[in-house]
Amino acid sequence: MATQSSSVVVFNDKQEILLVLREDARVWALPAGGLESSETFEQAAIREVREETGYNIELERLVGKYWRPQYPKGGDRMQVFVGKAISGDISEHDWESIAVRWFPLDALPKRLFRFSREHIQDACANSREPFERAQKFSRMQAMLMGWFFALRKIRNLVLRRS
């Protein structure tokens, strides 16, 4: 069964984008995560931004619906939103983020997750209609991702992290 997840391109008043440096992969990414039981894509998006960054946000629009067929466990259906930070404190992020930072659009980090880069580009396109895209991995990338998630799950169990 496919997983479902949400991600948010969060802007501030300076039109900078909020990114997190992931604890597990040491790569910059948009705040994102899976839906919890009976949660909507919108609710998950707001919760994940709060957990990973310390910010409360308002969702402004749906950027698109993305399908990753080679994602472990039967694929991943993700909805990406544009949001705006309304309150919060960057120092209140959870352990999954080792850094949280605002980046100007013309100075995004080189070590930015490939799909986050595509989501940012789509958000900046200001399309009238949400995008619908398949985002594919090579077989090798899909295999490595499966191993990565399995090892991360074991590590989190050992460290008693949820």
Side-chain angles (χ1 to χ4, degrees):
M1 183 172 146
T3 61
Q4 296 183 322
S5 58
S6 291
S7 183
V8 185
V9 181
V10 180
F11 288 98
N12 64 13
D13 292 334
K14 299 176 189 174
Q15 289 302 297
E16 296 171 317
I17 294 177
L18 187 62
L19 297 176
V20 298
L21 184 60
R22 294 177 51 98
E23 182 271 342
D24 54 7
R26 301 296 201 266
V27 64
W28 289 96
L30 293 169
L35 275 65
E36 294 181 353
S37 176
S38 72
E39 192 174 44
T40 66
F41 284 97
E42 293 83 0
Q43 291 167 332
I46 292 167
R47 176 184 51 77
E48 286 291 342
V49 171
R50 175 72 180 128
E51 290 174 1
E52 294 182 7
T53 72
Y55 283 103
N56 296 304
I57 64 163
E58 288 179 347
L59 296 179
E60 296 181 338
R61 66 184 169 87
L62 176 66
V63 173
K65 297 177 180 181
Y66 300 83
W67 167 241
R68 301 178 198 169
Q70 293 110 343
Y71 211 73
K73 299 182 182 178
D76 178 54
R77 296 186 188 285
M78 175 178 272
Q79 290 190 14
V80 177
F81 300 90
V82 167
K84 181 175 182 173
I86 55 173
S87 66
D89 186 340
I90 205 167
S91 67
E92 295 180 9
H93 63 81
D94 66 12
W95 62 270
E96 290 180 291
S97 305
I98 58 174
V100 178
R101 192 169 141 208
W102 293 99
F103 287 89
L105 279 170
D106 62 355
L108 296 175
K110 290 182 182 178
R111 289 185 48 119
L112 178 61
F113 187 56
R114 174 172 61 111
F115 294 138
S116 290
R117 193 173 300 278
E118 184 174 353
H119 298 156
I120 291 167
Q121 290 170 348
D122 288 352
C124 292
N126 290 319
S127 174
R128 288 179 176 239
E129 296 295 321
F131 291 93
E132 291 197 24
R133 298 191 192 279
Q135 297 178 307
K136 296 186 180 179
F137 300 100
S138 70
R139 285 184 193 210
M140 179 60 78
Q141 288 170 323
M143 184 181 73
L144 290 172
M145 186 172 288
W147 280 99
F148 173 79
F149 284 133
L151 291 172
R152 183 178 70 177
K153 183 176 182 177
I154 292 167
R155 184 211 54 179
N156 289 346
L157 286 171
V158 169
L159 296 176
R160 293 189 172 101
R161 292 179 173 166
S162 54

